[in-house]
């Protein structure tokens, strides 16, 4: 399917990786996040503990999405992707540009949908890969953050640089308008 990001405004912060200026920022993120946040002073990076940890390194962007329960979810966007997909609309406020993306909704786990998910990523799966997915209950996908599990009820997205990532269907439909199936 083809989809386009809805016109939602997010708070976004460029991470500089300088401890002296980032301490208040780190405290702020920890106080708002629904996920555990760690800081690695040696690597100068923030670690957001999700199913697959996200690593915020110097020069990249942290996007803040307010949730209804008063907390926030955060995700990391590389600078090259951020500049293509967000425009500034205020102080630390950015709106997603109306870029079009391709997506595949992974509704059920069966041999055909496993093959379709791999095909979407331009991978020709072996019989062993299909059997492993059926046995484990998910398809392994490679994202910018590392390997992640694509589970039934998720949407697999191809980003503006050809990168793949997944998100729950409910989140996808709250963030994107479907243009065509």
């Amino acid at each position: 399917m083809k989809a386009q990001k809805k016109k939602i405004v997010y708070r976004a912060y460029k991470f500089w990786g300088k401890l002296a200026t980032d301490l208040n920022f780190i405290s702020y993120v920890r106080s708002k996040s629904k996920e555990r946040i760690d800081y690695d002073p040696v690597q100068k990076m923030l670690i957001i503990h999700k199913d697959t940890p996200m690593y915020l390194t110097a020069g990249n962007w942290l996007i803040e999405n307010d949730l209804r329960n008063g907390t926030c979810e955060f995700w990391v966007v590389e600078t090259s992707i951020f500049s293509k997909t967000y425009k500034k609309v205020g102080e630390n406020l950015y709106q997603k540009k109306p870029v079009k993306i391709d997506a595949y909704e992974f509704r059920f786990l069966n041999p055909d949908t496993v093959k379709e998910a791999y095909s979407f990523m331009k991978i020709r799966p072996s019989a062993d890969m299909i059997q492993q997915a059926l046995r484990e209950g998910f398809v392994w996908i490679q994202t910018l953050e590392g390997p992640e599990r694509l589970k039934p009820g998720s949407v697999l997205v191809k980003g503006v640089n050809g990168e793949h990532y997944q998100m729950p269907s409910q989140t996808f439909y709250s963030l994107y308008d479907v243009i065509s199936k």
Side-chain angles (χ1 to χ4, degrees):
M1 79 178 100
K2 295 260 185 217
Q4 184 170 302
K5 190 77 169 199
K6 292 181 179 181
K7 293 185 177 188
I8 301 171
V9 174
Y10 300 99
R11 283 187 292 285
Y13 311 94
K14 187 157 188 171
F15 184 66
W16 299 103
K18 298 176 183 171
L19 187 56
T21 57
D22 289 336
L23 282 176
N24 288 338
F25 173 70
I26 293 165
S27 295
Y28 171 78
V29 172
R30 282 181 174 152
S31 73
K32 299 283 285 181
S33 181
K34 69 175 190 156
E35 293 108 1
R36 192 176 100 227
I37 305 292
D38 288 325
Y39 179 72
D40 181 337
V42 175
Q43 299 286 329
K44 297 181 180 173
M45 73 173 140
L46 209 61
I47 305 159
I48 304 166
H49 294 276
K50 297 178 177 275
D51 284 343
T52 300
M54 298 185 94
Y55 301 95
L56 178 61
T57 55
N60 290 325
W61 289 81
L62 187 69
I63 309 300
E64 178 181 339
N65 184 35
D66 291 324
L67 301 174
R68 293 180 184 188
N69 64 3
T71 64
C72 297
E73 64 179 343
F74 292 92
W75 63 88
V76 176
V77 177
E78 290 185 355
T79 296
S80 64
I81 295 171
F82 186 85
S83 63
K84 289 180 184 177
T85 58
Y86 288 87
K87 68 176 180 178
K88 189 169 186 159
V89 295
E91 184 67 31
N92 289 333
L93 297 174
Y94 293 82
Q95 184 177 32
K96 189 83 168 181
K97 294 177 184 174
V99 295
K100 292 178 177 71
I101 53 93
D102 290 316
Y104 171 72
E105 189 166 12
F106 189 60
R107 292 186 178 135
F108 309 103
L109 181 70
N110 63 46
D112 290 335
T113 60
V114 170
K115 288 178 194 173
E116 289 169 3
Y118 278 118
S119 176
F120 180 80
M121 296 182 289
K122 306 282 191 239
I123 296 171
R124 188 174 191 166
S126 66
D128 288 343
M129 292 167 71
I130 294 168
Q131 287 306 311
Q132 178 183 1
L134 295 172
R135 191 173 50 255
E136 293 179 341
F138 57 83
V139 174
W140 282 107
I141 65 169
Q142 188 61 40
T143 71
L144 293 174
E145 290 78 31
E148 287 190 20
R149 295 176 179 111
L150 175 66
K151 299 175 186 173
S154 296
V155 175
L156 179 58
V157 177
K158 181 179 177 184
V160 295
N161 284 347
E163 75 282 6
H164 291 99
Y165 56 95
Q166 60 84 29
M167 65 180 66
S169 292
Q170 184 177 357
T171 302
F172 177 82
Y173 288 108
S174 71
L175 299 175
Y176 289 88
D177 289 318
V178 175
I179 299 168
S180 64
K181 289 261 181 184

